[in-house]
Amino acid sequence: MTPRHYLLLAGVLGAGALLLFGERQPVAEVAEAVERAVAPARHSAARPEAAQPAILALLPRSEVAGEDGDTFGGADGVFQSQNWTPPPPKMVAVAAPPPPPPMAPPLPFVYLGKAAADGAWEVFLSRADKTYIVRTNTVIDGAYKVVAIAPPMMTINYLPLNQVQQLNIGVLE
């Protein structure tokens, strides 16, 4: 054991001895308050008389905190409720995008076949229960015009919107 341990052991044994052999009688007397003699004030050059602390008079509550019903500290006081929620993001007025331009409807024709006649292609098309035999520059029902026939594609112009569409007619046979 180190000398420190011996000192700690001696302290514990001394405390145990006081506990066992010490006086166990409670004190019956009450200690009374005693007035102190006031020491004469020391005046030093570093502390003039005017710098002595003084106790200020109490101010009325209405002067310090305001009348009843007023908020403490006025309208912009410290104890007012505060809203720490961030403001909502500013909505920027975005102009609606222009409507998409009108589109031609899908081709209503079903390809039936093709044939080469007089050095030009003829294509057989079906729409509902009607069959059309068309060549280049043929107008179908006033709405479609065949622009070109070059297998494997046939180019058709939708006349109301002047939009070109293509129909697959298969490879050259």
Side-chain angles (χ1 to χ4, degrees):
M1 285 175 77
T2 64
R4 182 176 173 197
H5 289 123
Y6 286 119
L7 285 175
L8 289 174
L9 180 61
V12 170
L13 290 176
L18 283 176
L19 182 64
L20 291 175
F21 304 114
E23 186 177 340
R24 294 187 177 202
Q25 296 296 328
V27 178
E29 308 168 359
V30 175
E32 296 292 328
V34 178
E35 278 196 45
R36 252 186 186 182
V38 178
R42 296 183 196 176
H43 296 291
S44 65
R47 251 181 118 176
E49 188 65 35
Q52 292 293 328
I55 298 175
L56 300 175
L58 293 176
L59 297 174
R61 178 184 172 88
S62 61
E63 189 176 321
V64 176
E67 298 297 325
D68 289 338
D70 290 348
T71 57
F72 183 73
D76 58 342
V78 183
F79 300 106
Q80 294 293 322
S81 66
Q82 304 231 353
N83 185 3
W84 294 100
T85 313
K90 293 181 180 178
M91 295 301 229
V92 178
V94 177
M103 296 294 293
L107 290 173
F109 305 111
V110 176
Y111 170 72
L112 299 176
K114 64 182 174 293
D118 300 327
W121 285 100
E122 288 183 339
V123 178
F124 305 100
L125 301 175
S126 171
R127 179 178 184 182
D129 56 344
K130 193 169 185 184
T131 304
Y132 300 96
I133 301 172
V134 295
R135 294 180 180 187
T136 304
N137 294 326
T138 304
V139 176
I140 307 169
D141 292 339
Y144 295 96
K145 179 179 179 183
V146 178
V147 177
I149 300 174
M153 302 300 279
M154 178 171 83
T155 306
I156 301 174
N157 188 3
Y158 181 65
L159 296 175
L161 296 176
N162 197 24
Q163 289 184 348
V164 177
Q165 296 175 306
Q166 292 187 334
L167 180 66
N168 188 359
I169 57 173
V171 295
L172 184 62
E173 296 173 359

